[in-house]
Structure formats: C-alpha cells, structure tokens
Amino acid sequence: MIKSLLVALMLIILGTNVDAQNTFSISGLVRDQKDGLPGASIYLSGYKIATVADNDGRFKLTNLKPGSYDILVQLVGYLPYSKSVIISDKSVQVELVLKENVAQLDEVVIRADPNRQKYINQFKEFFIGKTPNATQCKNFKSTGSECRL
C-alpha cells in the first residue's frame, strides 16, 4: 500500500515537472521609429494574459504552451498593432514597431464676440443689480470687479 502510494506520488511530481519544462515565453521590445515605448499594453488575443512594457519598452509574457498566438499592442498616440507568433520548441523574441496616430485638426479661428457688450450689460443687471449700492461697484483691470456695500 505504501509502495503504491509512493509510486503514485513520484509520478505526480515527475508529471508536474515535465509539464513545467514545456512552458515558453514571448518577449521583446515595443518601439516607434527611434526609441522603446514605455507603458505600451501587450495582450494575447483570446487569453487572459497581458503585460505592460517597462521604461525601455521591453516586455515578457511567460508560462505559454506551444501553439499559435496573436499579440495585440496598444498605446495612446499610436495605431494598434498585431502580430502572429508561433511557439513550437523554444521561447520567441519579437520586435514590435508602432506607428504614430497622426490626427489632423481643423483650423481654429478666434474672433471677437459682436454681442460682448450686451452680455456685459446682462451680467451687471442680473449679478450686480440696479440698486443704489450697485452704483458703488468699480471695475479694476488688474483685479476684476469690486463692490463695496
């Protein structure tokens, strides 16, 4: 009885050890045209496995079984990037080059409001009022309005 229990325990330990030896990783660098990109999010599509690139843009996804994986990379200001990777018998190292997401903004024109004086008069009427005390309010250019009651 004890011998069969020991044999079963040895098989479990060896099976776990063999299984642990068959795990691999995907590591690499996320960069733009010049430098590594810190903070890029790296995901494996269809899996709950993700990481973030370090200060140099380097990353590592560990404990992966042999197979085909789709790597997805996202970073604000850059276009999303995806790459297929196949792990067969060793860990894989990749370099992922992101392209900037350039957004062209429309021209902005700033003009004086033709109704400015109307709005100033409304402000004075509704917020300062027309009472005798309101006539004591003075406008100072550097400090705004001051009212002494």
Side-chain angles (χ1 to χ4, degrees):
M1 175 76 171
I2 293 177
K3 284 184 181 182
S4 60
L5 189 59
L6 284 174
V7 170
L9 185 61
M10 293 273 276
L11 288 175
I12 291 172
I13 291 172
L14 288 175
T16 306
N17 194 19
V18 169
D19 189 42
Q21 291 174 355
N22 290 331
T23 61
F24 301 100
S25 66
I26 298 173
S27 61
L29 174 67
V30 178
R31 67 178 185 88
D32 60 5
Q33 296 301 324
K34 298 178 271 180
D35 302 316
L37 296 172
S41 300
I42 301 101
Y43 307 91
L44 290 183
S45 180
Y47 296 88
K48 294 181 181 179
I49 300 172
T51 189
V52 177
D54 67 10
N55 288 338
D56 297 324
R58 301 207 172 277
F59 70 94
K60 188 169 189 176
L61 298 163
T62 58
N63 296 325
L64 302 176
K65 302 285 183 193
S68 179
Y69 297 94
D70 289 325
I71 301 173
L72 304 174
V73 183
Q74 292 183 330
L75 182 62
V76 174
Y78 292 86
L79 294 172
Y81 181 86
S82 66
K83 181 173 184 153
S84 294
V85 173
I86 297 173
I87 297 176
S88 57
D89 60 348
K90 62 180 181 175
S91 294
V92 176
Q93 192 161 4
V94 294
E95 186 170 295
L96 310 171
V97 181
L98 302 185
K99 294 180 182 177
E100 286 188 54
N101 187 4
V102 180
Q104 184 67 33
L105 301 177
D106 293 333
E107 180 180 319
V108 176
V109 178
I110 299 173
R111 297 187 184 117
D113 186 355
N115 298 321
R116 182 175 187 270
Q117 190 58 47
K118 173 184 157 191
Y119 297 138
I120 290 172
N121 291 338
Q122 283 180 345
F123 174 81
K124 286 180 180 177
E125 181 179 340
F126 293 125
F127 293 100
I128 297 175
K130 294 184 176 182
T131 65
N133 289 335
T135 58
Q136 296 178 3
C137 290
K138 300 178 185 178
N139 292 327
F140 295 98
K141 291 181 183 177
S142 62
T143 60
S145 297
E146 180 181 306
C147 296
R148 295 181 187 176
L149 303 175

